Amino acid sequence: MRRQFLNHLDSPASQLRSKTSSNVQTGLDALAINLRAACMYWVAPEMAALAMSAGAQLAAARWATADRPSPCGLIWWADGIGSLDTDGVQIPVEGIVWGPHEGELMVWLLMSRSRLASEMQTRNGLSLVSDRMPPMIPICGETLPVTAEPISLADLDQLPAPIVAALAASWLLMQQPALVERATERPPAAEARSSARAGLVDPAVTVTTLRRQYLPGQQDVDEGHDVAGRRYRHRWVVSGHWRDQPHGPERALRRKTWIPAYVKGPDGAPLLSTERVNVWRR
């Protein structure tokens, strides 16, 4: 799919190039460069759901090279990762390409050709001429500043904050081996040779899945007691949350680490059952 996508980006006669305005061409050039050098990631549905949930708890994120799993990347979420609102029309987002561009990070949101064909048929009863469209369709491209300090997600301009937050969360979660399993899927030999002839990097795809059973690496207090030494009489569920985990020389640096939901309290104690009602006020 990446190789076919690049064929459309590299051809001036393709509809992707000939039917877009001149002010978009520079962004498409950058997309082609980053896509050609991209490491590829496929995210399983459970992992995608966790990325959306965990991303909703991120107020800010960094976009430096050190924060990415690779300098350039193509990530594809099974079942999508939300939608982009364009004049009241919800356009589903299934993938993102990222990479450097003029000192910043360029991000392109993508949807699949098959999803576009399905949406057109469902909404308007129209059929897509598929051979004129790439298998991945760029929806929106924007650059993000690369800074030493996190950037507020509320300050984003064109890109939808929930999707960008899910991207940042995916990057962070990929770096937690206790939570995430990563496997490498390699293409058939014929596809590998075709990619090599096209000058592409290793066409292997990293598959990220959520472990079926996982535990937080640390807990705040000893099991069954609080910091004052008082003994707990119940168990309760601690919701998943981010923690600024120390790391690096003398543990002076901080890295966002996702702590999965878990049951806290002494073994055998009754479990507190509570219900939460979220109130959305104007």
Side-chain angles (χ1 to χ4, degrees):
M1 290 175 69
R2 176 179 63 169
R3 185 164 51 82
Q4 294 174 22
F5 189 7
L6 281 168
N7 290 339
H8 286 261
L9 285 168
D10 293 339
S11 173
S14 69
Q15 287 202 352
L16 182 58
R17 287 293 196 168
S18 62
K19 300 297 184 180
T20 52
S21 60
S22 58
N23 61 342
V24 181
Q25 299 300 325
T26 300
L28 292 177
D29 291 341
L31 170 60
I33 292 171
N34 291 328
L35 187 62
R36 186 167 278 107
C39 293
M40 295 183 288
Y41 305 88
W42 186 88
V43 183
E46 298 88 351
M47 192 70 212
L50 176 59
M52 286 293 290
S53 175
Q57 299 187 38
L58 281 176
R62 294 196 326 167
W63 310 107
T65 304
D67 299 296
R68 311 170 207 161
S70 58
C72 301
L74 163 61
I75 187 169
W76 202 263
W77 290 279
D79 301 333
I81 199 72
S83 60
L84 173 68
D85 189 326
T86 304
D87 297 327
V89 178
Q90 299 298 318
I91 302 177
V93 176
E94 298 172 89
I96 289 181
V97 172
W98 73 81
H101 179 62
E102 297 181 350
E104 296 188 311
L105 176 72
M106 173 158 280
V107 173
W108 273 95
L109 309 185
L110 310 173
M111 72 180 298
S112 66
R113 179 175 58 200
S114 59
R115 183 68 177 270
L116 176 60
S118 175
E119 295 286 333
M120 290 177 59
Q121 182 64 40
T122 301
R123 296 182 183 183
N124 305 310
L126 301 176
S127 298
L128 180 69
V129 182
S130 58
D131 60 346
R132 298 184 181 180
M133 301 294 292
M136 303 177 187
I137 300 171
I139 303 170
C140 175
E142 191 63 57
T143 56
L144 298 171
V146 175
T147 59
E149 296 299 323
I151 302 292
S152 172
L153 295 174
D155 296 336
L156 294 176
D157 186 16
Q158 300 293 328
L159 299 173
I163 293 177
V164 178
L167 174 65
S170 297
W171 289 355
L172 292 166
L173 293 168
M174 284 182 195
Q175 301 178 49
Q176 293 188 234
L179 180 66
V180 175
E181 291 181 337
R182 298 176 63 173
T184 300
E185 293 287 343
R186 299 195 174 276
E191 175 59 32
R193 289 193 295 269
S194 296
S195 296
R197 286 195 298 268
L200 302 179
V201 298
D202 185 359
V205 176
T206 298
V207 179
T208 60
T209 56
L210 183 65
R211 289 185 183 274
R212 292 299 177 183
Q213 294 181 345
Y214 50 82
L215 295 172
Q218 300 179 10
Q219 292 194 6
D220 294 328
V221 296
D222 292 337
E223 189 68 33
H225 296 78
D226 65 9
V227 292
R230 294 173 296 208
R231 182 169 183 80
Y232 298 130
R233 299 181 180 275
H234 298 88
R235 292 178 298 148
W236 66 97
V237 176
V238 178
S239 300
H241 57 281
W242 292 104
R243 173 186 289 164
D244 287 323
Q245 194 76 14
H247 73 103
E250 299 182 355
R251 299 174 66 80
L253 303 176
R254 294 294 183 269
R255 176 190 294 125
K256 289 287 186 184
T257 302
W258 180 253
I259 307 300
Y262 62 98
V263 176
K264 193 168 184 177
D267 291 339
L271 180 67
L272 288 176
S273 178
T274 60
E275 295 186 23
R276 171 188 288 182
V277 176
N278 295 302
V279 179
W280 188 12
R281 301 186 186 278
R282 186 172 58 179

